[in-house]
Amino acid sequence: MVDVAVIGAGIAGLVCAQQLSQAGYSVLVVEKSRGLGGRVATRRLNGTCADHGACYIKPKGELFRNFVELLHERDIILHWINTVYEFKPEGNYIALPETPCYVAPQGMSAIAKFLAQGLEILLNQRVIGITSIPETSWRLSLESSNEEITATSVVVAIPAPQALMLLEPLGENVFGTGFIDNLRSVEFSGCISVIAGYPSTSQPIPDWKSLNFVDDTILAWIGLDSSKRPNPQQPVFVLQSSAAFAQHHDQTQDLQPAGRQMLQHAAKSLQLPWLDTPEWMQVHRWRYAFPTRPLQESYLSAPTSPPLVCCGDWCGGNLIEGAWVSGIAAAEQINHNLRHLPLPKEGFLDFFV
């Protein structure tokens, strides 16, 4: 029995859990994967690592900038570049307005590990059912064990389509129509990510480190991931597909040919023929990469007692900063419905100082 069960150990879930834990609530985070961070993801392979989800941070809001400064002071992230380029269909490179971009030398998942300090987290545990004990608590059923979790409140910090699959079976008798309709209204685009490593003699390595593709049917972005690493042993690139290309391969089981097609397209478009012949490659599918139709609010609260709140980058924004803001807002809403304890100021930054 805990005060708060948080489903999902992405940025929103971890931020929310930290806020509530530091206020004095008992909090348990349940994550279906073996790692933390959600789409702030790092894959370790071939003696290095590569970020195949969120690739860098561009801080905007003041509160989030403070967190970025703290990560920078702790050497978890460092300044990477000021300039991201756009590649136009006619073959032109255009520099976008300068904005500081930050990366994690040990992989972007290091940010999630930093946020997870001191939290009780169950990994490799998928919540497959949730039932309401009216006026008192929620009961969560796990896929891989007969154990159940009982919580006074629940935070659902996963993509809205996954939250819908979990919560819709409870029906209108529990949630009413508005809550479920709001979840159903959120839409995402998918993405296919390719990590590709090349011989150290590959030439010529481009001057750019981050390149957006404009109006391209196959690619959305390519980055020189190895430029984030201390003493890289070989060039490593990460490519991200367009939403249309990911949708076309939505039901494709073997994504290797799709990954090769992305590399071939990049090699031809950028006139870097060696991009088509990596030493090794891995391909990953993100079904819920970017919210294309998010909610306008920073969280979604169910009209229930006990409380249940949904949060994530699909609430009021997107990317890491949107998830951060949503997690803080969800914690405030849960606290409002429970014991009104003093929440940490400055987004709990003083806890880590």
Side-chain angles (χ1 to χ4, degrees):
M1 179 73 185
V2 294
D3 293 325
V4 188
V6 178
I7 303 173
I11 297 299
L14 292 173
V15 167
C16 180
Q18 275 290 3
Q19 283 282 86
L20 294 169
S21 178
Q22 290 178 39
Y25 292 103
S26 59
V27 180
L28 176 64
V29 181
V30 188
E31 167 58 43
K32 67 180 177 63
S33 303
R34 66 173 184 267
L36 303 170
R39 292 190 300 282
V40 181
T42 303
R43 184 161 290 183
R44 307 193 182 278
L45 69 176
N46 293 85
T48 186
C49 65
D51 301 316
H52 60 297
C55 295
Y56 57 88
I57 298 175
K58 291 195 299 183
K60 296 179 181 178
E62 180 179 356
L63 187 64
F64 190 67
R65 280 200 301 269
N66 292 340
F67 178 59
V68 169
E69 289 175 5
L70 175 62
L71 293 173
H72 191 263
E73 291 171 2
R74 295 295 184 87
D75 296 323
I76 295 169
I77 63 172
L78 53 73
H79 176 258
W80 184 38
I81 54 175
N82 286 322
T83 304
V84 174
Y85 291 87
E86 281 191 345
F87 181 74
K88 299 288 188 177
E90 57 271 21
N92 297 332
Y93 293 87
I94 298 176
L96 298 176
E98 288 197 357
T99 303
C101 299
Y102 296 85
V103 297
Q106 302 305 317
M108 293 293 280
S109 61
I111 298 172
K113 294 174 183 176
F114 180 77
L115 284 170
Q117 293 178 77
L119 295 176
E120 185 178 358
I121 301 174
L122 291 179
L123 296 175
N124 286 313
Q125 297 285 353
R126 183 190 297 270
V127 177
I128 58 171
I130 180 169
T131 55
S132 171
I133 305 173
E135 306 299 326
T136 61
S137 57
W138 300 94
R139 184 174 293 128
L140 280 59
S141 302
L142 305 179
E143 182 179 45
S144 58
S145 71
N146 294 324
E147 294 184 18
E148 292 183 328
I149 299 166
T150 303
T152 305
S153 61
V154 170
V155 176
V156 183
I158 56 179
Q162 295 177 330
L164 180 65
M165 287 187 285
L166 182 63
L167 300 176
E168 192 173 28
L170 276 72
E172 297 178 4
N173 291 337
V174 173
F175 293 122
T177 57
F179 175 81
I180 295 296
D181 287 344
N182 277 326
L183 270 183
R184 194 178 286 120
S185 72
V186 177
E187 297 177 1
F188 279 80
S189 65
C191 178
I192 295 172
S193 293
V194 176
I195 308 169
Y198 297 85
S200 57
T201 56
S202 294
Q203 294 292 335
I205 301 297
D207 294 332
W208 49 262
K209 296 179 181 177
S210 176
L211 187 64
N212 296 331
F213 285 77
V214 179
D215 298 326
D216 194 282
T217 57
I218 295 178
L219 290 177
W221 183 83
I222 183 173
L224 181 58
D225 191 90
S226 52
S227 65
K228 308 174 188 179
R229 314 296 165 214
N231 304 314
Q233 300 303 303
Q234 64 177 146
V236 177
F237 285 82
V238 171
L239 296 80
Q240 295 181 344
S241 78
S242 67
F245 188 78
Q247 176 62 33
H248 178 73
H249 289 280
D250 183 57
Q251 301 302 316
T252 302
Q253 296 298 314
D254 180 9
L255 288 175
Q256 291 298 115
R260 286 193 290 272
Q261 185 180 352
M262 291 168 60
L263 289 174
Q264 291 166 4
H265 184 73
K268 181 177 180 181
S269 299
L270 302 176
Q271 298 183 21
L272 298 172
W274 52 270
L275 279 177
D276 191 20
T277 54
E279 278 190 336
W280 52 265
M281 63 176 284
Q282 284 197 10
V283 188
H284 181 84
R285 186 203 316 272
W286 297 102
R287 291 199 181 277
Y288 308 112
F290 304 103
T292 55
R293 188 181 176 187
L295 290 183
Q296 298 304 307
E297 298 77 18
S298 55
Y299 63 89
L300 178 61
S301 184
T304 57
S305 179
L308 182 144
V309 176
C310 297
C311 65
D313 60 359
W314 51 274
C315 293
N318 57 23
L319 304 178
I320 297 175
E321 187 162 352
W324 165 278
V325 171
S326 181
I328 290 177
E332 291 173 349
Q333 179 65 13
I334 288 290
N335 185 48
H336 176 75
N337 284 287
L338 292 182
R339 302 202 297 271
H340 299 269
L341 300 177
L343 292 175
K345 297 179 180 179
E346 289 295 309
F348 64 77
L349 297 183
D350 51 347
F351 174 77
F352 296 103
V353 173

